[in-house]
Amino acid sequence: MKLLLDFLPILLFFGTFKYAEAHKAWASEFATAHFGFLVAGGKVGPDEGPVMLATVVVIVATLAQVAWLKLRGRKVDFMLWVSLVLVVVLGGLTIWFHSETFIKWKPSGLYWAMGLTFWISQAVFDRNLLRMMLGEQLQLPDAVWRRLNFAWIAFFGMMGLLNLWVAYSFTTDVWVNFKLFGGLGLMLAFTVAQGLYLGKYIEDAPATDAPDKEPRA
């Protein structure tokens, strides 16, 4: 359930964009009629409609996500707050200036914020966030925890750069596909690669805890 909630804004952004892209005239008219007051000049063109509507939907979805967690008395993760600020600020700029450039920066900003959080926690506060999250499930040497932490920092940094490369090198339609399938696919591949790397440590853990001898009768 939590996984679905986390990815719901991305899925809604993707679905809204794809539908509006296939119905550009409708998207332009609908966006102008309902959200024209949010746009400089008050009119949304056919080529602007799809990303405008998708941006409105992702802002509302992220706000609803935070509100739902707060109403249920659940903790709102720090990165969700960061995501909310980025999507509202950059999404708002995209809508007002008729420019998809701003919303395309949002994934990079989120990736870099996550990488910076991991780095500051380790370098400044000597706290390994991965160890704090997974330490009860995994017993690993200190050096391995440090390697994992820096691996995630590097991954987030490269993902931020890759997002901008796709955004500026290809069409918005390609970027939207990459945002959903490329981002999730690379995250899954990186996680699987880490699992393979940690395999030997996970396999060694039970042997350490097992008794050397059978209990005496």
Side-chain angles (χ1 to χ4, degrees):
M1 182 65 181
K2 184 179 184 302
L3 186 63
L4 177 61
L5 185 65
D6 288 342
F7 288 108
L8 185 59
I10 298 176
L11 294 172
L12 290 174
F13 182 92
F14 177 83
T16 302
F17 178 86
K18 289 298 182 181
Y19 181 83
E21 182 74 5
H23 306 83
K24 286 188 174 182
W26 168 85
S28 173
E29 294 175 4
F30 186 88
T32 299
H34 294 85
F35 306 109
F37 66 96
L38 297 174
V39 179
K43 184 173 177 59
V44 178
D47 293 331
E48 303 163 351
V51 75
M52 297 294 172
L53 288 179
T55 299
V56 171
V57 167
V58 78
I59 291 174
V60 173
T62 308
L63 285 168
Q65 185 180 15
V66 172
W68 185 82
L69 290 171
K70 296 293 286 184
L71 288 173
R72 292 180 62 88
R74 294 174 142 188
K75 178 183 178 182
V76 179
D77 293 337
F78 172 72
M79 294 315 304
L80 180 53
W81 285 119
V82 174
S83 180
L84 176 64
V85 171
L86 288 172
V87 79
V88 169
V89 173
L90 296 178
L93 291 173
T94 283
I95 294 169
W96 177 254
F97 288 108
H98 302 245
S99 175
E100 60 199 26
T101 300
F102 297 102
I103 197 64
K104 287 181 177 180
W105 272 83
K106 187 261 178 180
S108 294
L110 186 59
Y111 284 130
W112 290 338
M114 294 173 72
L116 191 62
T117 301
F118 274 57
W119 179 76
I120 290 176
S121 297
Q122 181 72 61
V124 178
F125 301 104
D126 196 27
R127 300 175 68 184
N128 190 304
L129 292 184
L130 284 176
R131 190 169 197 166
M132 293 171 63
M133 292 185 289
L134 304 174
E136 294 183 0
Q137 289 79 32
L138 295 174
Q139 301 298 319
L140 302 172
D142 291 343
V144 175
W145 282 118
R146 285 194 295 271
R147 285 185 215 131
L148 290 179
N149 191 64
F150 286 119
W152 278 101
I153 293 171
F155 175 76
F156 287 134
M158 288 187 291
M159 284 297 293
L161 292 174
L162 182 59
N163 172 72
L164 291 182
W165 177 73
V166 173
Y168 283 100
S169 301
F170 300 94
T171 64
T172 300
D173 187 56
V174 172
W175 174 77
V176 170
N177 290 333
F178 171 79
K179 177 179 167 64
L180 178 61
F181 301 110
L184 294 181
L186 290 171
M187 179 76 73
L188 178 61
F190 181 72
T191 303
V192 170
Q194 269 199 344
L196 295 174
Y197 169 72
L198 295 175
K200 61 179 180 179
Y201 299 102
I202 297 174
E203 291 171 1
D204 290 345
T208 303
D209 298 332
D212 295 334
K213 300 179 181 179
E214 292 183 3
R216 295 181 181 178

